[in-house]
Amino acid sequence: MLLLHTMLRVGNLQRSIDFYTKVLGMKLLRTNDNPEYKYTLAFVGYGTNPDHAELELTYNYGVDSYDQGTAYGHIALAVEDVHQACADVKLQGGNVTREAGPVKGGTTNIAFVQDPDGYKIELIERKPGHWPNAKL
C-alpha cells in the first residue's frame, strides 16, 4: 500500500492554496472543478504521486467553514531547521501556534502552525540525510 493524499475541506479555496504554496512552499499540482456536483479540488504538495503524498483541498460550493471535531490531529512536515521554518512562516503572514522547541518528554525539535481554516501542521526538524530519498 502507498499513501497517496490527505483531504481537507476548506472554506476558501484560493486562500488555502495561497497558504500552502506561499507560506509552506508547496506547489499547486492540479485543480479539478466539478460544477455539476458543486465542488472544486486543488492538489498541492512538494512533489507528485507516487513519489510524494499530496494534500487535496476540497471546496464545496457555498460552504465557508467546517467544524473540525476532536478526532482530527495534524499534518506533519519535515523541515531542516524548525526555528528558521517558523521565522519564514511568520514572514509570510502565517500563524505559528507553538514556537520551535523540544517535544515534551523528548529531544526532537518541533513547532506547530495553523492554516487559514484552523488545521494544525506540525513542523518536525529533520537534518539532511535523515531520509535518503527525501528532499527537504
Side-chain angles (χ1 to χ4, degrees):
M1 288 191 209
L2 178 68
L3 179 64
L4 296 177
H5 70 261
T6 297
M7 186 271 272
L8 297 176
R9 291 182 178 91
V10 300
N12 180 307
L13 187 59
Q14 190 58 55
R15 177 185 70 189
S16 294
I17 290 169
D18 288 347
F19 174 80
Y20 286 97
T21 59
K22 294 177 181 176
V23 177
L24 295 183
M26 294 182 185
K27 291 181 176 67
L28 176 60
L29 304 171
R30 64 189 175 283
T31 60
N32 182 7
D33 188 33
N34 293 282
E36 180 181 355
Y37 297 103
K38 300 181 179 168
Y39 72 89
T40 303
L41 307 177
F43 289 84
V44 296
Y46 297 107
T48 58
N49 286 322
D51 296 325
H52 299 272
E54 301 170 350
L55 187 59
E56 174 188 330
L57 306 174
T58 299
Y59 172 70
N60 292 297
Y61 294 9
V63 180
D64 62 3
S65 66
Y66 291 92
D67 293 327
Q68 292 178 10
T70 58
Y72 175 79
H74 60 268
I75 297 166
L77 301 177
V79 298
E80 285 186 34
D81 181 331
V82 72
H83 290 89
Q84 185 62 53
C86 286
D88 293 344
V89 165
K90 289 177 186 176
L91 281 174
Q92 293 296 321
N95 183 18
V96 175
T97 59
R98 188 229 194 244
E99 292 293 336
V103 67
K104 290 181 183 176
T107 58
T108 302
N109 284 319
I110 67 166
F112 277 89
V113 300
Q114 188 171 342
D115 86 352
D117 289 284
Y119 294 110
K120 303 282 191 227
I121 299 117
E122 181 180 17
L123 305 177
I124 303 172
E125 190 168 271
R126 296 281 194 245
K127 297 300 180 192
H130 184 40
W131 293 320
N133 297 326
K135 291 183 180 178
L136 301 180

